[in-house]
Amino acid sequence: DLRQDGRHLGTLDDLHAIARGRRTGLVITPQVFALHTPRDLRLQQSEIAAYRWAPLLPLLQGQHRTSHPYQHEGAVYHLPAYDVGGWVVWGLTFQMLQMLLDELREEGTG
């Protein structure tokens, strides 16, 4: 229960979901919370298959950057990604994480 175990830090910009190079009509509004203490999360399996905890500082410093090959209509694109302990974060998840890191960088310089 994030109301009990966390603190709402803010809302990131809306993201439009894209599948096969086209918008799907789905808009995602990422919410950012800080947990009082890290814990196992009870997740609805219909929404997420797995999760991983990752320290933000190395990501803020640009560590773990990589690319993820993605094939679309016969062409291979190398999309920006993070490799966090063997788990590749790319696509919409990468975009949400990148928005969070950009906000954190701005807060650190402002």
Side-chain angles (χ1 to χ4, degrees):
D1 184 350
L2 290 173
R3 291 171 294 197
Q4 188 174 23
D5 298 327
R7 181 170 51 101
H8 185 251
L9 299 178
T11 302
L12 299 175
D13 293 338
D14 288 348
L15 278 172
H16 296 270
I18 297 173
R20 293 175 208 59
R22 294 187 175 87
R23 285 188 177 189
T24 65
L26 176 68
V27 177
I28 300 164
T29 305
Q31 303 294 319
V32 180
F33 285 82
L35 292 177
H36 301 305
T37 56
R39 58 176 31 163
D40 286 335
L41 302 177
R42 291 187 199 119
L43 303 171
Q44 297 203 16
Q45 294 300 316
S46 63
E47 294 190 20
I48 189 167
Y51 72 92
R52 297 288 177 261
W53 292 107
L56 290 178
L57 185 58
L59 298 173
L60 276 166
Q61 295 171 338
Q63 298 176 30
H64 307 293
R65 286 296 297 249
T66 189
S67 64
H68 177 74
Y70 176 75
Q71 188 170 353
H72 177 66
E73 296 181 352
V76 176
Y77 301 92
H78 294 277
L79 302 176
Y82 289 106
D83 183 331
V84 181
W87 289 84
V88 178
V89 177
W90 68 287
L92 282 171
T93 306
F94 173 86
Q95 290 178 37
M96 286 184 266
L97 181 57
Q98 194 60 46
M99 286 190 322
L100 173 62
L101 296 173
D102 290 345
E103 287 290 327
L104 292 172
R105 284 186 197 98
E106 286 180 23
E107 288 293 321
T109 60

